[in-house]
Amino acid sequence: YYDFTRPDTLNGIYLFSKSCILMDGPSGEVLFESASRERRYPASTTKLLTILFARTLLPLDMVVTPGDELNLVGPNSSLAYIKSHHQLTVEQLMEGMLLPSGNDAAYVLAAAGGRILNPGAPTARDEVDAFLMGMNEYARTIGLCGSHFTCPDGYDYPENYSTLEDMALIARLAYEDEIIRKYSN
């Protein structure tokens, strides 16, 4: 929406959103922002961070068999329709997270990563929680300062939040990842 009569617009562009960020992808330079450090629900941007963190733990060709973590997927979630008898590679789970935005794939991947981080976890919830604890630590190491993740898929939970500034950084890192680019182009 262009309004050339208003001096408070960005180069004639009037913004209707509560917050925004415009970042140069290659350099990371923030060109414009408004309230970009306010907490927002990250939605499926979370899946990108889940994949980035899982890439540090799991080989792409590792075969994973889903289990009780499928019961943790939120109601009315988008699904890749993964069943407990399936055997999928880590890369296939990532594809299921990116193409149909499968929340079920995100939980299966998180549980697989959680088994690496906490081999004796008694339940699928404990496995996913171990993964999320590691993912939050990873988030801090890559420079995310205003985020906290309580699920691997971005489902709207009160303590699952990020900022536009952090989400822009996730997007930059995701663009550099060959697997995310493979299924996103």
Side-chain angles (χ1 to χ4, degrees):
Y1 175 81
Y2 296 93
D3 183 351
F4 296 104
T5 64
R6 292 190 52 153
D8 61 335
T9 61
L10 171 67
N11 296 327
I13 300 172
Y14 182 73
L15 302 172
F16 289 96
S17 64
K18 292 178 182 177
S19 59
C20 68
I21 191 164
L22 176 62
M23 179 183 282
D24 178 67
S27 72
E29 178 186 359
V30 175
L31 304 172
F32 178 79
E33 68 86 30
S34 175
S36 66
R37 292 186 178 131
E38 290 182 10
R39 286 183 181 177
R40 300 280 180 238
Y41 287 121
S44 287
T45 303
T46 304
K47 289 184 184 90
L48 297 175
L49 184 64
T50 297
I51 289 171
L52 290 169
F53 178 54
R55 299 260 290 140
T56 70
L57 299 172
L58 305 168
L60 293 174
D61 61 352
M62 179 179 147
V63 176
V64 177
T65 302
D68 291 338
E69 65 273 13
L70 290 172
N71 298 325
L72 302 173
V73 179
N76 302 315
S77 283
S78 56
L79 300 172
Y81 296 99
I82 294 172
K83 304 294 181 210
S84 60
H85 65 276
H86 289 163
Q87 289 195 326
L88 303 158
T89 65
V90 166
E91 184 173 349
Q92 287 172 319
L93 290 169
M94 292 175 179
E95 178 183 4
M97 292 168 65
L98 294 167
L99 294 181
S101 194
N103 290 358
D104 49 354
Y107 272 92
V108 174
L109 187 67
R115 285 189 285 279
I116 300 294
L117 294 170
N118 184 3
T123 68
R125 175 81 262 169
D126 294 319
E127 292 168 347
V128 171
D129 287 346
F131 180 87
L132 291 168
M133 184 182 305
M135 188 167 95
N136 280 302
E137 290 174 21
Y138 172 76
R140 285 187 288 283
T141 66
I142 62 171
L144 304 186
C145 301
S147 297
H148 182 260
F149 300 94
T150 59
C151 63
D153 58 357
Y155 202 80
D156 285 354
Y157 293 114
E159 291 304 311
N160 192 71
Y161 57 82
S162 190
T163 65
L164 291 182
E165 186 176 62
D166 285 359
M167 286 189 270
L169 178 56
I170 293 168
R172 284 188 69 226
L173 294 172
Y175 182 75
E176 294 171 3
D177 184 84
E178 64 183 286
I179 294 299
I180 294 174
R181 275 197 328 271
K182 177 180 176 179
Y183 294 106
S184 299
N185 286 335

